[in-house]
Amino acid sequence: MDDTLKRYRESIDNIDAALVFMLAERFKITQAVGEYKAQHALPPADPGREERQIGRLRQLATDANLDPDFTEKFLRFIIDEVIRHHERLRDG
């Protein structure tokens, strides 16, 4: 493998590591949100907030020259997982 490709791959590996740590931090916070919701008998999902977040992140994606459809699919996957966690907390 040549040095240029090696450097590109090292950069990708660093970005992937940062993404994993950012997702871990996000899930720590959403876990706390789920516990709060369970304690206060709030619903696991908040469709209005989800739609606002998707719209906001679609715009950010557009601004960053990233496909907003991809961004929405990625965010929807995360939101759906968070809701599953919140449902488990609610159901004990």
Side-chain angles (χ1 to χ4, degrees), residues 27-51:
F27 275 93
K28 284 179 192 174
I29 301 300
T30 60
Q31 181 73 15
V33 168
E35 290 167 3
Y36 181 89
K37 285 180 171 184
Q39 292 166 1
H40 294 86
L42 297 169
D46 184 344
R49 170 149 170 82
E50 294 163 24
E51 288 308 309

Side-chain angles (χ1 to χ4, degrees), residues 1-36:
M1 169 178 359
D2 67 36
D3 286 341
T4 300
L5 183 56
K6 184 175 185 262
R7 283 193 307 275
Y8 286 148
R9 287 182 173 170
E10 287 170 352
S11 292
I12 290 168
D13 291 349
N14 289 337
I15 293 165
D16 288 346
L19 285 169
V20 167
F21 281 99
M22 292 297 295
L23 283 171
E25 285 300 310
R26 189 184 195 288
F27 275 93
K28 284 179 192 174
I29 301 300
T30 60
Q31 181 73 15
V33 168
E35 290 167 3
Y36 181 89

Side-chain angles (χ1 to χ4, degrees), residues 47-64:
R49 170 149 170 82
E50 294 163 24
E51 288 308 309
R52 288 189 303 276
Q53 280 294 92
I54 288 170
R56 185 177 74 83
L57 292 175
R58 284 183 67 88
Q59 184 58 56
L60 287 171
T62 299
D63 295 346

Side-chain angles (χ1 to χ4, degrees), residues 56-85:
R56 185 177 74 83
L57 292 175
R58 284 183 67 88
Q59 184 58 56
L60 287 171
T62 299
D63 295 346
N65 295 316
L66 181 64
D67 180 357
D69 292 334
F70 166 78
T71 302
E72 182 173 346
K73 289 175 191 172
F74 182 72
L75 182 62
R76 177 51 54 197
F77 176 78
I78 292 170
I79 289 170
D80 290 346
E81 186 65 20
V82 167
I83 291 169
R84 277 191 292 278
H85 290 189

